[in-house]
């Protein structure tokens, strides 16, 4: 079974600074997807960024980028120029990429990010 | 923007009562998921449908929980009888999976359930 680990329960960053959120995962599969979801106090689950395991290039979405280290099974999220609206809980998630496989998401426990003005 | 719609947004009821949560997936999506979020366990899958057929409900307590998709526009999650330990936020998500296609899941806003 796949597992996702987010070992830091909380982090804090100064507005306009950069912060990196860590995530590691364990799988025996070679084809999979990794995601970061943001959950603000409104409790919506918002997709921030996704990475296909077969792609070597790290995904980027505006101020958000990932550092995907497949051999180390590490998938960290970097938020640049942090804004007050980035304050939320962030979840790392895994999904199998095999056709016909259960496409459920396996989530980490989440990390609470606070942004200091 | 297309979105997953869940009702009700909040539900407070007494132990032993039946609870029904509803989800309208995004039109055209063929997979529907029910997740439960608690402080202790985090986000866990309860049930998963593809093309309205249940594929995985191993995360769901079978004695009191049931999940169905009466049609492509409606998914339901029922708890009968409800217990205080069922208090949680229940999310519905939908997506599209096909040959060579595996789109990200879109989540509804969740139902916050409180069982007294």
């Amino acid at each position: 079974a796949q597992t996702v680990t987010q070992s830091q329960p909380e982090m804090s960053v100064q507005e306009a600074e950069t912060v990196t959120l860590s995530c590691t995962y364990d799988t025996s599969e070679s084809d999979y997807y990794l995601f970061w979801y943001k959950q603000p106090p409104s409790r919506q689950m918002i997709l921030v960024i996704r990475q296909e395991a077969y792609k070597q290039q790290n995904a980027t979405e505006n101020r958000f980028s990932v550092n995907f280290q497949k051999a180390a099974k590490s998938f960290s999220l970097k938020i640049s120029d942090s804004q007050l609206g980035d304050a939320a809980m962030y979840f790392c998630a895994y999904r199998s990429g095999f056709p016909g496989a259960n496409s459920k998401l396996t989530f980490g426990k989440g990390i609470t990010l606070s942004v200091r003005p | 923007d297309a979105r997953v719609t869940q009702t009700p947004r909040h539900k407070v009821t007494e132990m032993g009562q039946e609870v029904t949560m509803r989800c309208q997936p995004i039109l055209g999506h063929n997979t529907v998921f029910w997740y439960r979020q608690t402080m202790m366990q985090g986000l866990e899958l309860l049930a998963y449908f593809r093309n309205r057929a249940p594929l995985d409900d191993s995360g769901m307590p079978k004695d009191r929980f049931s999940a169905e998709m009466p049609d492509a526009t409606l998914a339901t999650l029922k708890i009968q009888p409800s217990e205080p330990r069922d208090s949680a936020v229940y999310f519905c998500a939908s997506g599209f999976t096909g040959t060579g296609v595996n789109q990200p899941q879109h989540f509804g806003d969740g139902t916050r359930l409180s069982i007294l």
Side-chain angles (χ1 to χ4, degrees):
Chain A
Q2 294 78 30
T3 58
V4 177
T5 302
Q6 295 178 255
S7 56
Q8 307 154 304
E10 296 179 351
M11 284 199 76
S12 180
V13 64
Q14 190 75 36
E15 195 176 5
E17 297 294 307
T18 296
V19 64
T20 299
L21 311 182
S22 301
C23 173
T24 59
Y25 60 95
D26 190 26
T27 184
S28 58
E29 298 178 332
S30 58
D31 188 14
Y32 51 88
Y33 299 85
L34 297 165
F35 304 86
W36 280 96
Y37 279 87
K38 171 185 177 182
Q39 187 178 40
S42 64
R43 81 165 182 254
Q44 291 174 285
M45 290 290 288
I46 303 165
L47 177 65
V48 175
I49 199 165
R50 83 171 193 170
Q51 175 79 42
E52 291 89 342
Y54 63 84
K55 288 188 178 178
Q56 292 187 345
Q57 188 171 8
N58 289 324
T60 63
E61 285 287 343
N62 302 313
R63 298 183 296 108
F64 298 88
S65 61
V66 299
N67 184 5
F68 174 48
Q69 301 288 327
K70 191 171 184 178
K73 294 181 182 173
S74 170
F75 183 61
S76 60
L77 175 69
K78 185 170 83 171
I79 306 174
S80 304
D81 185 26
S82 297
Q83 300 176 359
L84 295 178
D86 295 333
M89 195 148 187
Y90 287 80
F91 292 93
C92 180
Y94 171 102
R95 190 182 77 195
S96 174
F98 282 105
N102 188 331
S103 56
K104 72 175 183 180
L105 291 168
T106 299
F107 288 93
K109 293 293 189 187
I111 177 171
T112 300
L113 176 68
S114 58
V115 181
R116 304 186 302 275
Chain B
D1 277 347
R3 51 196 301 265
V4 176
T5 302
Q6 285 187 251
T7 57
R9 188 152 169 78
H10 305 277
K11 176 75 175 179
V12 180
T13 191
E14 292 188 345
M15 175 179 170
Q17 296 297 305
E18 178 178 300
V19 173
T20 298
M21 290 170 273
R22 292 177 173 79
C23 168
Q24 180 176 356
I26 292 173
L27 189 65
H29 283 185
N30 65 349
T31 54
V32 173
F33 305 81
W34 284 103
Y35 293 92
R36 177 170 62 185
Q37 184 178 27
T38 61
M39 289 292 291
M40 293 299 295
Q41 300 298 326
L43 279 151
E44 302 174 296
L45 180 76
L46 293 176
Y48 159 45
F49 292 80
R50 183 184 294 168
N51 297 323
R52 295 178 55 201
L55 291 190
D56 183 356
D57 61 1
S58 58
M60 202 165 66
K62 304 289 192 305
D63 56 338
R64 297 184 301 107
F65 284 61
S66 62
E68 297 179 345
M69 278 202 74
D71 60 61
T73 64
L74 177 65
T76 62
L77 180 65
K78 290 186 181 180
I79 309 174
Q80 169 64 18
S82 58
E83 297 181 2
R85 60 180 167 150
D86 300 330
S87 298
V89 178
Y90 291 82
F91 285 101
C92 175
S94 73
F96 183 83
T97 302
T99 303
V101 178
N102 215 333
Q103 294 182 352
Q105 297 172 22
H106 295 260
F107 282 75
D109 290 343
T111 294
R112 180 178 294 281
L113 177 64
S114 298
I115 307 297
L116 306 176

